[in-house]
Amino acid sequence: MSMAIRFHEFGGPEVLRYEAVEVGEPGPGEVRIRQRAIGVNFVDIYQRNGLYQVALPAIAGNEAAGEVSAVGAGVTSLKVGDRVAYVGKVGAYCEERLMPADRLVQLPEAIGFDQAAAMLLKGLTVQYLIRQSYRVEPGDIVLFHAAAGGVGLIACQWLKSLGARVIGTAGSDEKCALAIRHGAEYCINYRTENIVERVKELTGGAGVPVVYDSVGKETFDASLRCLRPYGLLVSFGNASGPVPPLDLSILAQLGSLYVTRPTLNTYTAKRADLESMAAELFQVVTSGMVKIDINHRYPLKDAAQAHRDLEARRTTGSTVLIPE
């Protein structure tokens, strides 16, 4: 048996229950993992509240790191004791679980379990955002919303290492200062400043070639208006709620703009892509170009409180759960 955080209905953090679940032995192509650290992400909240539908009852969570404790038939790439991490497979908020071996990545010795759980989903997200959805070039000025969050802090550092100039947004002066310490050149406090006016001022009226927006409803219109002609809005989250239906004619009116709604699952669907993206992420972290800030740790049983704090935007950097 394994202790896990499970929900039997969609709703607020109160639907999360700490209860025992059966794990069993790994089948063909599977391994069993003893989990050492578990990542907390907004996608977990979207699944818990029903914005993203999952089959019920469900164990929450999509990211963790730990050790292989048993290996099923046909698995030759992993052995008991190997240090591994994964992302994108619902059911992470638990002490032990079964996983398909081909969805796991092996961890370099220089990366700890808590660091891996704090960075894999967020770091791979940054990889596809800035290296694939729009390939950022030296000298590009980019707008990155929620720059003091887990994804944002990784992005600010990585973008700076590429020679890009980052305009971040955040909800307080303290969060703006944090984003600037991590590589943002400017940070707009959206509670006291007008995002569009400030971006136009900072770019001499030109706008930016790309906006990365995980906030959703509250920032979507402003994001479009910050783009230069032919610019791209990469909408990759809904922290403030889903984006309302879009009248495509606005894209023409604002300069023949582009909008994309990518997902990490699409970019990592092929094993070779998952491996190459993870390798690039591990390289920028082990080289010191990107540092992973784990600013919040909770026992696994306190997952509901972690969700409350994340939803209330009381967190910065990455948050992890630790099985006891």
Side-chain angles (χ1 to χ4, degrees):
M1 300 294 285
S2 167
M3 296 306 294
I5 297 291
R6 189 158 62 165
F7 55 101
H8 298 255
E9 59 185 339
F10 299 116
E14 69 279 356
V15 304
L16 298 176
R17 303 183 191 175
Y18 186 57
E19 54 192 28
V21 296
E22 188 70 39
V23 179
E25 295 300 316
E30 291 184 329
V31 301
R32 188 174 66 226
I33 304 172
R34 171 63 183 173
Q35 305 203 136
R36 301 299 184 186
I38 301 156
V40 179
N41 300 281
F42 260 103
V43 65
D44 308 347
I45 291 170
Y46 302 153
Q47 291 166 347
R48 186 211 71 216
N49 65 23
L51 179 62
Y52 296 169
Q53 293 286 303
V54 295
L56 298 177
I59 297 173
N62 296 267
E63 171 186 38
E67 299 163 326
V68 174
S69 60
V71 176
V75 176
T76 58
S77 58
L78 295 169
K79 63 183 185 303
V80 172
D82 279 349
R83 302 169 67 255
V84 295
Y86 65 87
V87 63
K89 182 75 170 174
V90 178
Y93 287 13
C94 59
E95 295 173 332
E96 287 191 285
R97 72 173 301 186
L98 302 178
M99 276 290 297
D102 65 358
R103 289 286 88 194
L104 298 169
V105 294
Q106 289 191 257
L107 296 177
E109 285 301 318
I111 293 179
F113 292 126
D114 56 349
Q115 190 180 34
M119 78 179 204
L120 198 62
L121 187 149
K122 300 173 185 68
L124 292 178
T125 296
V126 173
Q127 198 282 340
Y128 84 70
L129 289 174
I130 70 175
R131 306 294 284 157
Q132 299 186 73
S133 294
Y134 176 92
R135 192 170 180 87
V136 175
E137 299 293 340
D140 279 344
I141 305 176
V142 308
L143 177 63
F144 209 104
H145 289 296
V151 172
L153 292 182
I154 294 172
C156 286
Q157 297 174 80
W158 201 336
L159 285 163
K160 185 176 182 180
S161 78
L162 294 173
R165 301 170 62 194
V166 182
I167 302 172
T169 73
S172 71
D173 290 342
E174 292 76 15
K175 287 187 175 183
C176 276
L178 182 63
I180 289 171
R181 289 199 301 272
H182 285 74
E185 188 168 331
Y186 306 97
C187 187
I188 300 165
N189 182 342
Y190 60 77
R191 299 190 190 280
T192 59
E193 298 179 274
N194 182 289
I195 293 173
V196 178
E197 290 178 0
R198 188 73 174 118
V199 167
K200 294 293 179 141
E201 179 184 338
L202 291 170
T203 60
V208 296
V210 61
V211 177
Y212 296 106
D213 190 341
S214 62
V215 178
K217 182 179 179 180
E218 288 181 3
T219 53
F220 189 81
D221 183 67
S223 293
L224 289 175
R225 296 177 188 279
C226 288
L227 289 167
R228 72 186 187 192
Y230 319 120
L232 172 66
L233 170 53
V234 184
S235 175
F236 67 102
N238 311 281
S240 68
V243 174
L246 174 65
D247 178 359
L248 289 178
S249 66
I250 194 69
L251 302 181
Q253 295 167 22
L254 294 176
S256 300
L257 304 180
Y258 296 85
V259 176
T260 185
R261 182 59 172 89
T263 71
L264 180 58
N265 285 344
T266 305
Y267 280 92
T268 59
K270 296 179 181 178
R271 173 71 190 176
D273 293 337
L274 171 62
E275 289 179 331
S276 65
M277 291 169 65
E280 186 174 9
L281 172 62
F282 293 154
Q283 190 277 324
V284 297
V285 172
T286 57
S287 70
M289 287 190 293
V290 172
K291 293 180 172 60
I292 306 302
D293 286 353
I294 306 172
N295 293 338
H296 310 274
R297 288 179 171 85
Y298 301 78
L300 175 60
K301 62 182 177 60
D302 293 338
Q305 186 58 49
H307 276 215
R308 292 186 188 98
D309 291 344
L310 186 61
E311 285 183 285
R313 304 188 190 183
R314 290 192 289 263
T315 65
T316 59
S318 296
T319 297
V320 296
L321 304 175
I322 306 297
E324 298 174 322

